[in-house]
Amino acid sequence: MIKPISISELLDYTKKIVKTDYILRKVRVRGEVAEIATAQSGHLYFTLKDDRSRLACVMFRDDLSERAAYQVGMEVEIDGYVDIYAPSGRLQLIAKTLEPTGQGALYKLFLELKDLLEKEGLFDMEKKRPLPKNPLTIGMVTSTAGAAQHDFLSVAAARNPAISVIISPSRVQGEEAGKELARAFEKLDARDDIDVIIITRGGGSMEDLFCFNDETLIRAIDKRRHPVVSAVGHEVDTTLSDFVADVRAATPTHGAEIIVPHRMDILDEAESQILFMENTLLHRLRDCSHAQKSLYYRLKHTISMESVAYKLDMVKELKRRMVRQMVKTMDEERRERESLLKRIKKIPLEKRIYQEKEKNDAIHHRLNKALMKGLQGEKERLELLNLRIKSVGESKRSPRIEKNGRGITSVRDLKVGDELSIAFIDGTVDVSVKGVTRYKDEL
């Protein structure tokens, strides 16, 4: 009969075998990072996977590179050794080096879809909405069988029991989970009694969380009517629902803390507002009291029965002055009108008409006289012109008059003292000009 041993003894024995195995002391393993987390101690804990298996890994702080940035979905190669962690009895790979060699298939698909939706503007910051300050009803899309629902409801109830939560259940893992999540979200978003919606589930591998990268779900969130919080996985997990939502929460518990205000904070704010209102009211009352007292003293010192009577006398006096001025103005206008009528009546209209007629007749007579004189002058000019024309015609048969051998036909060519020669038919005569008389120049 085999003697029983303790678990610790078994693990210690197994650990000794693993440590003495030549192959397990120095191995190089390739796989895809499925889960990753950094502890407060600085050690890196992660899980490697392939298409059939998973392996827990740890890389201690002293071996980590400060520049390294490891992500879920990365394909890596690890140099290290195999060990057994006795407290949990877990086989794990102690990594000494960790080198990225590429991207896993799911991670590539994640990046391609992220790039496509980002170019369409689904992740723009301008689309982000603020969360309501004091929501009354919260919609939650999650699995009713998961721990995320319990964590969220526990924290929400502890912070503010008056908040209502409406759950739209859905699978949160699997091939068709993305489209089911989209339908569950749309049912909640169509309601008018919802203030904010949270989409949540607990941690898991990249495959487990990949339904939160489903394009149908992301586009449904983009068309949201209400503010949306994405609280999927742990802090190191990233899904496309985190990018399209208005706010990302690291965990379901963190989501409850973001959405649900603590009742004490609400009470403190209410008390602060009440105190502010009381102080404001007291200040207003004090200001009104001061204003009332000031007005009372001003009225008391500035208004008296004597001043009122004096003002009334002034009003009566002004009224009498206005009446006198109006009567005076009306009398002056009446006298001016009567004077104008008298002046009009004194004008002898018939005499003025007769005088104007005589003036017109005199002007008419002067015009006729001037016209006759003008006609007579034109007649005389016409007669002189006829005589001139006639004299020119007769000069062709008259004796020829020459001056210095040149024929003369006009007195314009002569002056007193000129010696002329007059040729007749039967002889010539020499003469001297003693005087020149010209006809009028205008002819």
Side-chain angles (χ1 to χ4, degrees), residues 197-381:
I197 298 175
I198 182 171
I199 302 175
T200 184
R201 70 150 282 170
S205 65
M206 188 173 189
E207 294 93 333
D208 297 338
L209 304 179
F210 205 77
C211 58
F212 292 90
N213 299 321
D214 187 87
E215 185 175 357
T216 303
L217 173 63
I218 303 308
R219 293 191 182 277
I221 298 175
D222 179 61
K223 298 177 182 178
R224 61 196 177 277
R225 296 174 58 227
H226 302 89
V228 175
V229 175
S230 174
V232 179
H234 299 306
E235 186 172 358
V236 295
D237 299 318
T238 302
T239 63
L240 295 182
S241 64
D242 296 335
F243 291 101
V244 72
D246 297 295
V247 177
R248 176 187 182 267
T251 62
T253 300
H254 183 220
E257 294 172 350
I258 291 176
I259 297 174
V260 182
H262 199 284
R263 61 182 182 277
M264 296 306 299
D265 295 336
I266 297 175
L267 291 175
D268 290 342
E269 184 178 359
E271 290 178 359
S272 177
Q273 291 181 354
I274 292 174
L275 182 61
F276 174 76
M277 294 172 62
E278 289 178 350
N279 290 334
T280 303
L281 183 59
L282 288 175
H283 285 304
R284 292 292 301 274
L285 289 174
R286 187 171 62 247
D287 293 341
C288 290
S289 176
H290 291 330
Q292 182 183 14
K293 291 179 180 178
S294 176
L295 182 61
Y296 170 77
Y297 287 118
R298 288 174 59 191
L299 291 174
K300 182 177 180 180
H301 291 85
T302 58
I303 298 178
S304 61
M305 295 303 296
E306 292 79 4
S307 62
V308 172
Y310 175 74
K311 297 293 184 181
L312 290 175
D313 292 339
M314 288 185 62
V315 171
K316 292 179 181 179
E317 179 62 25
L318 289 174
K319 184 177 180 180
R320 285 194 294 269
R321 292 180 183 178
M322 289 175 62
V323 172
R324 287 198 301 268
Q325 184 64 35
M326 290 175 62
V327 172
K328 180 180 178 182
T329 302
M330 292 175 64
D331 289 342
E332 290 177 352
E333 291 181 354
R334 179 178 54 78
R335 286 194 297 270
E336 184 176 356
R337 185 170 59 253
E338 291 175 354
S339 175
L340 182 60
L341 289 174
K342 290 179 180 179
R343 289 172 59 190
I344 293 173
K345 290 180 180 180
K346 290 179 179 180
I347 297 175
L349 297 180
E350 294 182 356
K351 183 178 180 180
R352 290 288 299 276
I353 293 173
Y354 178 74
Q355 291 176 350
E356 294 296 328
K357 184 175 181 304
E358 286 184 343
K359 289 181 180 180
N360 290 335
D361 291 343
I363 292 172
H364 183 68
H365 178 72
R366 289 197 299 272
L367 288 174
N368 286 336
K369 186 175 179 181
L371 181 60
M372 294 301 296
K373 183 177 181 180
L375 291 174
Q376 183 63 30
E378 292 296 326
K379 183 177 179 181
E380 291 178 357
R381 289 182 61 194

Side-chain angles (χ1 to χ4, degrees), residues 12-206:
D12 289 341
Y13 178 78
T14 306
K15 192 170 184 178
K16 288 178 182 180
I17 293 177
V18 170
K19 284 186 176 182
T20 57
D21 186 276
Y22 175 76
I23 296 176
L24 298 181
R25 294 312 301 159
K26 188 174 183 180
V27 296
R28 187 173 184 85
V29 182
R30 174 182 291 179
E32 182 179 330
V33 178
E35 299 176 357
I36 190 167
T38 302
Q40 292 182 351
S41 60
H43 305 324
L44 182 67
Y45 294 90
F46 58 99
T47 302
L48 281 187
K49 72 178 183 68
D50 57 17
D51 56 348
R52 292 187 302 168
S53 306
R54 289 174 174 265
L55 177 63
C57 306
V58 58
M59 191 171 193
F60 296 119
R61 178 179 58 195
D62 295 339
D63 296 324
L64 281 171
S65 173
E66 295 181 356
R67 300 181 181 177
Y70 306 111
Q71 295 178 343
V72 173
M74 294 179 62
E75 190 174 285
V76 297
E77 289 186 358
I78 298 175
D79 287 326
Y81 60 91
V82 178
D83 196 6
I84 292 179
Y85 184 62
S88 62
R90 182 176 61 181
L91 180 72
Q92 62 183 8
L93 178 65
I94 309 300
K96 301 301 290 184
T97 64
L98 180 60
E99 298 178 359
T101 60
Q103 297 173 343
L106 282 179
Y107 190 64
K108 289 181 180 178
L109 182 60
F110 169 82
L111 292 179
E112 290 174 358
L113 184 56
K114 178 177 179 293
D115 184 63
L116 172 65
L117 299 178
E118 189 171 19
K119 289 180 179 178
E120 293 184 19
L122 271 68
F123 306 149
D124 290 349
M125 293 303 298
E126 292 78 6
K127 291 186 175 182
K128 306 300 182 185
R129 304 179 186 180
L131 300 183
K133 189 174 182 181
N134 294 307
L136 298 178
T137 304
I138 300 171
M140 183 165 63
V141 179
T142 190
S143 170
T144 55
Q149 173 186 335
H150 176 268
D151 294 343
F152 181 89
L153 294 178
S154 298
V155 175
R159 292 177 67 84
N160 188 356
I163 296 254
S164 300
V165 179
I166 300 175
I167 300 175
S168 183
S170 170
R171 286 183 295 169
V172 292
Q173 184 175 334
E175 186 176 351
E176 296 298 323
K179 294 179 176 55
E180 190 173 331
L181 283 167
R183 291 192 294 270
F185 171 78
E186 290 172 344
K187 288 181 181 178
L188 279 181
D189 197 44
R191 300 178 62 131
D192 294 328
D193 57 346
I194 298 292
D195 297 314
V196 61
I197 298 175
I198 182 171
I199 302 175
T200 184
R201 70 150 282 170
S205 65
M206 188 173 189

